């Protein structure tokens, strides 16, 4: 169903719906269940990793070898994941669109290359981002031009499930924007979310509760303050400045990891007047 209409509320260039980024500048990946912030341990004073200097078994070389082997394996696993993640996301989004909307988004965006996926290294604490546009036709009677771009953050999406959830969330923005002509996380967005979850629930590969669409939970708690672990890159969000990086560390393996505040960004001296703008305007 194509309707001739002028671009409504959407700029002619590819741009994220500004209302989304203004209202919800960060789509944070803060998983309450796996990283309960309240359980952040204090750094034990004066106690660092207890390793006896006198302990000579196993030998240093053996330890080093084991360490190197573990590192190599982790590297190989990451490489394998990195190699397949692009096609994984692409296949999933195609199947999602086919299952949920009968391929409508793909059809609408066919002339502009379908749903574009971009793995964007520059995204900071945003797991994903959707940009879409409806451009009015030059000649009357022609169909509008639809574009859809889903950006995914390679730093955050390090597992299939994270790809599934984030890609679905961003797909909902695209479908909601292009088909339902709605921006943001309103009721219509949630309808798309419910539709996706339901339609995929019994899917052989993606079903079984793997897909969750949320705007409030693990992926998008819009915490006022966010710290990131320098070791595992896990994020810790809080509504007040209640984490003290001097005394608290991330309890991850290889840690405790140093926490660095990333939101609000500790600013280097800047020209006055820009201070209170907290929009994260799209960079690309
Ligand atoms: Zn969103
Ligand atoms: Zn950590």
């Amino acid at each position: 169903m194509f309707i001739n209409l002028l671009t409504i509320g959407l700029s002619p260039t590819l741009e994220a719906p500004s209302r989304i980024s203004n209202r919800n500048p960060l789509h944070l990946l803060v998983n309450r269940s796996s990283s309960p912030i309240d359980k952040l341990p204090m750094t034990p004073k004066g106690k660092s990793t207890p390793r006896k200097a006198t302990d000579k078994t196993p030998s240093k070389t053996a330890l080093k070898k084991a360490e190197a082997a573990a590192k190599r394996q982790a590297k190989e696993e990451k490489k394998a994941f990195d190699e397949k993640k692009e096609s994984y996301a692409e296949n999933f989004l195609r199947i999602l669109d086919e299952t949920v909307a009968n391929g409508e988004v793909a059809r609408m965006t066919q002339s502009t290359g379908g749903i574009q996926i971009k793995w964007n290294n520059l995204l900071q604490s945003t797991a994903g981002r959707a940009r879409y546009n409806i451009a009015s036709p030059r000649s009357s009677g022609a169909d509008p031009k639809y574009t859809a771009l889903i950006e995914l953050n390679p730093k955050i999406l390090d597992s299939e499930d994270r790809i599934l959830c984030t890609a679905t969330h961003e797909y909902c923005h695209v479908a909601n924007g292009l088909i339902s002509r709605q921006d943001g996380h309103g009721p219509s967005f949630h309808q798309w979310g419910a539709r996706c979850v339901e339609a995929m629930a019994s899917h052989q590969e993606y079903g079984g509760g793997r897909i969750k669409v949320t705007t409030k939970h693990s992926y998008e708690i819009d915490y006022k303050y966010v710290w990131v672990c320098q070791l595992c890159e896990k994020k810790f969000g809080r509504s007040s400045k209640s984490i003290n990086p001097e005394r608290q560390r991330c309890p991850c393996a290889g840690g405790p990891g140093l926490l660095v505040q990333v939101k609000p960004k500790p600013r280097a001296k800047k020209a006055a007047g820009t201070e209170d703008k907290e929009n994260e305007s799209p960079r690309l």
Side-chain angles (χ1 to χ4, degrees):
M1 163 187 70
F2 293 104
I3 309 157
N4 281 334
L5 80 160
L6 300 169
T7 308
I8 303 168
L10 296 165
S11 75
T13 49
L14 264 187
E15 203 173 276
S18 56
R19 264 182 281 160
I20 294 172
S21 38
N22 289 354
R23 197 187 301 152
N24 218 337
L26 292 181
H27 291 193
L28 295 180
L29 184 94
V30 183
N31 192 325
R32 260 188 183 151
S33 54
S34 73
S35 60
I37 296 149
D38 293 336
K39 286 184 197 157
L40 254 189
M42 297 293 179
T43 328
K45 274 181 192 153
K47 269 192 218 165
S48 56
T49 25
R51 187 175 286 170
K52 286 176 205 157
T54 49
D55 195 354
K56 293 214 164 148
T57 48
S59 75
K60 264 186 187 171
T61 21
L63 275 175
K64 265 193 185 157
K65 263 188 188 168
E67 229 168 70
K71 255 187 197 167
R72 218 168 26 241
Q73 199 194 335
K75 216 174 163 186
E76 271 162 24
E77 276 166 15
K78 189 181 180 302
K79 196 179 162 219
F81 177 78
D82 283 346
E83 271 167 9
K84 70 162 190 190
K85 70 184 177 188
E86 289 182 20
S87 58
Y88 187 82
E90 206 179 303
N91 284 334
F92 170 67
L93 277 163
R94 183 176 41 80
I95 291 167
L96 181 70
D97 185 41
E98 278 166 9
T99 314
V100 174
N102 217 1
E104 181 76 2
V105 176
R107 258 195 307 282
M108 290 171 100
T109 56
Q110 198 171 26
S111 70
T112 57
I115 304 174
Q116 304 286 300
I117 303 168
K118 181 179 179 181
W119 288 82
N120 186 353
N121 253 317
L122 297 175
L123 295 175
Q124 295 299 318
S125 41
T126 310
R129 186 158 66 185
R131 297 160 180 235
Y132 48 87
N133 187 50
I134 306 169
S136 50
R138 286 205 186 91
S139 55
S140 56
D143 290 330
K145 233 181 194 155
Y146 299 96
T147 47
L149 171 66
I150 288 177
E151 291 176 277
L152 300 171
N153 188 339
K155 287 175 285 184
I156 291 178
L157 304 181
D158 57 2
S159 73
E160 289 183 356
D161 282 13
R162 286 183 174 184
I163 292 178
L164 295 183
C165 292
T166 301
T168 306
H169 180 108
E170 304 312 332
Y171 172 81
C172 286
H173 278 306
V174 169
N176 194 35
L178 297 186
I179 299 174
S180 308
R181 314 255 165 158
Q182 300 279 327
D183 297 335
H185 294 129
S188 174
F189 175 89
H190 287 283
Q191 275 172 21
W192 277 104
R195 233 174 270 171
C196 289
V197 170
E198 200 189 317
M200 302 303 281
S202 57
H203 191 276
Q204 202 174 5
E205 188 181 347
Y206 310 118
R210 292 182 81 185
I211 296 171
K212 294 170 193 82
V213 179
T214 147
T215 57
K216 284 268 181 274
H217 302 108
S218 50
Y219 278 73
E220 282 203 327
I221 300 172
D222 193 7
Y223 284 116
K224 201 169 171 198
Y225 293 90
V226 178
W227 291 260
V228 70
C229 168
Q230 296 304 99
L231 283 176
C232 67
E233 297 190 320
K234 193 176 278 177
K235 290 181 176 62
F236 298 91
R238 286 211 163 169
S239 51
S240 67
K241 204 172 177 176
S242 55
I243 288 180
N244 181 351
E246 307 252 12
R247 293 166 50 229
Q248 288 162 292
R249 299 279 190 274
C250 171
C252 59
L258 193 67
L259 297 172
V260 169
Q261 186 179 325
V262 291
K263 189 194 170 195
K265 247 192 193 125
R267 281 172 189 266
K269 276 156 252 152
K270 244 202 150 183
T274 53
E275 230 43 31
D276 49 7
K277 278 191 183 165
E278 64 163 23
N279 303 353
E280 188 201 52
S281 49
R283 197 168 290 141
L284 299 170

